[in-house]
Amino acid sequence: MQTKLWKLDNKRNQAIEEAAALIREGEVVAFPTETVYGLGANGLDGAACRKIFAAKGRPADNPLILHIAEKEDMEALTSGLSPLAQALMDAFWPGPMTLIVPKSDKIPDVVTAGLDTVAVRFPSHPVARALIRAAGCPIAAPSANKSGKPSPTTAQDVLLDMDGVIAGVLDGGTCDIGVESTIIDTTGKDPVILRPGGITREMIKAVMGRVVLDPGLVKKGETPKAPGMKYRHYAPTAPMLLVEGPEASLGLIRLAIMAEAHGLRTGVIALKETVDHLPKGGNFVIHNGGATLEAYAETLFHDLRAFDSEGVDLILGEGVREDQIGLAIMNRLRKSAGHNLIWAEGGLLYHQSGSVPDCLGTLVMEGMPER
């Protein structure tokens, strides 16, 4: 299949109409949102949605999110909205928030993986909304990457995974937020965050007065309620370690120096202050995560993807505080690293049992205790 790339210049409306026509014909088209690029198909056409699963290599028990163009479009997709869901819609839509609600009979089982609930989002990105409106149907759209790989935040990232596999890509530039939407279960008495994202826990609590984190996000050994969250995601090719703890910055610098001394070409993704303290001229491939958590989130997936083409032996990521969007960043970093964690505290580095890639085995044997 030849994948068409539409540049959204002075022929923007024509490009959107062409992409919408392909959606109506049952094809798959990637498009930008404010979070990441989505891989879209007609959300009411089961055969079209199965093409999404085939293109991504996505497990069948991982439901899709339906994207709508207007808040009122939600009514046809659910068998009933709770006051909780309505309050969240009023407060945060359009925006990077996905709601889990009881599904209506018109939604194919392939979209919901056989569940009696459906995930729905009303994006704020003007291209996404224009495409949905032009297609005349809700668009089912997970992130536009091969399953397990970092999500794409540019059209070029999409093409790395999907060129020749899908019908087209609408190039809307770089996504603003950089991590996927917050998923909230509204079927109980409290809003439950199943996946942290651009709408933060603090923002929800300020509006609703209460918010709960799915135990699968915070307790080791718990299976996340959102089916897709149980799979390894966002993974670059090289093995990755995430450095956490009260001395994460110093620990990352120390570990990078140790890895370089063992002849490893080391990729580093960290906040600007940490990057500025790395030794100059070393055998490092450095991606500056910026000075703020928002900047770190915006470029996170693009930076992780870049390591694949830069020939690194090992990637080190800097952990951050888990407030505001930091909760979403840490969720993505831990999954990117496959929960391979190093804890930095009291001038020491600790490794978690079974969490160290083979290329770092000798470093652990040199005295890094188990935590």
Side-chain angles (χ1 to χ4, degrees), residues 188-310:
K189 64 182 180 64
D190 293 318
V192 180
I193 296 177
L194 305 185
R195 180 180 72 188
I199 301 297
T200 67
R201 172 174 46 181
E202 291 83 357
M203 293 164 67
I204 298 166
K205 187 174 183 180
V207 171
M208 305 301 299
R210 64 197 191 279
V211 65
V212 177
L213 285 180
D214 175 27
L217 294 175
V218 294
K219 292 183 181 179
K220 189 176 179 180
E222 288 273 351
T223 300
K225 186 175 179 182
M229 295 298 286
K230 69 187 179 184
Y231 297 104
R232 188 183 180 198
H233 280 339
Y234 323 120
T237 300
M240 179 175 172
L241 282 173
L242 176 60
V243 185
E244 298 190 38
E247 297 172 5
S249 176
L250 292 174
L252 182 142
I253 293 169
R254 180 180 168 194
L255 195 56
I257 293 170
M258 293 166 65
E260 184 193 30
H262 280 72
L264 298 176
R265 181 169 167 78
T266 305
V268 173
I269 180 168
L271 290 165
K272 182 179 184 301
E273 184 176 358
T274 301
V275 166
D276 288 345
H277 285 87
L278 281 168
K280 301 299 185 285
N283 191 21
F284 305 123
V285 177
I286 298 171
H287 286 280
N288 186 334
T292 66
L293 293 182
E294 289 76 16
Y296 201 2
E298 183 178 348
T299 62
L300 177 62
F301 289 144
H302 185 73
D303 291 342
L304 289 173
R305 281 181 165 269
F307 288 127
D308 283 352
S309 62
E310 291 167 331

Side-chain angles (χ1 to χ4, degrees), residues 143-155:
S143 55
N145 54 284
K146 290 292 186 183
S147 286
K149 302 301 291 182
S151 299
T153 53
T154 69

Side-chain angles (χ1 to χ4, degrees), residues 108-142:
D109 284 345
V110 65
V111 170
T112 63
L115 299 174
D116 58 5
T117 55
V118 63
V120 185
R121 179 158 113 75
F122 177 21
S124 61
H125 198 290
V127 174
R129 292 173 66 179
L131 176 65
I132 300 163
R133 195 175 295 115
C137 61
I139 292 182

Side-chain angles (χ1 to χ4, degrees), residues 291-361:
T292 66
L293 293 182
E294 289 76 16
Y296 201 2
E298 183 178 348
T299 62
L300 177 62
F301 289 144
H302 185 73
D303 291 342
L304 289 173
R305 281 181 165 269
F307 288 127
D308 283 352
S309 62
E310 291 167 331
V312 299
D313 302 307
L314 172 72
I315 299 169
L316 301 177
E318 178 182 2
V320 297
R321 65 182 191 272
E322 293 186 76
D323 61 348
Q324 304 297 335
I325 202 166
L327 181 65
I329 292 171
M330 289 301 291
N331 172 263
R332 300 335 189 256
L333 282 172
R334 286 175 180 139
K335 293 182 75 64
S336 297
H339 294 275
N340 294 331
L341 309 178
I342 298 292
W343 188 264
E345 184 174 11
L348 294 175
L349 298 176
Y350 301 85
H351 76 93
Q352 182 174 289
S353 178
S355 72
V356 177
D358 291 342
C359 65
L360 263 186

Side-chain angles (χ1 to χ4, degrees), residues 46-191:
C49 290
R50 279 188 281 273
K51 292 182 180 179
I52 293 176
F53 285 86
K56 284 180 64 73
R58 184 180 179 90
D61 66 344
N62 193 351
L64 303 175
I65 295 174
L66 293 182
H67 293 64
I68 57 178
E70 304 294 343
K71 193 183 297 185
E72 293 73 23
D73 296 342
M74 172 69 109
E75 296 177 12
L77 303 179
T78 179
S79 59
L81 287 176
S82 66
L84 171 62
Q86 190 64 59
L88 288 166
M89 290 167 57
D90 292 342
F92 298 112
W93 272 5
M97 179 186 72
T98 295
L99 297 182
I100 305 295
V101 298
K103 74 172 184 178
S104 73
D105 293 338
K106 67 166 52 180
I107 299 172
D109 284 345
V110 65
V111 170
T112 63
L115 299 174
D116 58 5
T117 55
V118 63
V120 185
R121 179 158 113 75
F122 177 21
S124 61
H125 198 290
V127 174
R129 292 173 66 179
L131 176 65
I132 300 163
R133 195 175 295 115
C137 61
I139 292 182
S143 55
N145 54 284
K146 290 292 186 183
S147 286
K149 302 301 291 182
S151 299
T153 53
T154 69
Q156 290 68 37
D157 290 344
V158 175
L159 289 172
L160 287 174
D161 284 2
M162 296 294 164
D163 194 14
V165 178
I166 62 175
V169 181
L170 282 166
D171 186 350
T174 302
C175 300
D176 292 332
I177 296 174
V179 294
E180 299 90 344
S181 63
T182 305
I183 299 179
I184 305 175
D185 185 355
T186 71
T187 60
K189 64 182 180 64
D190 293 318

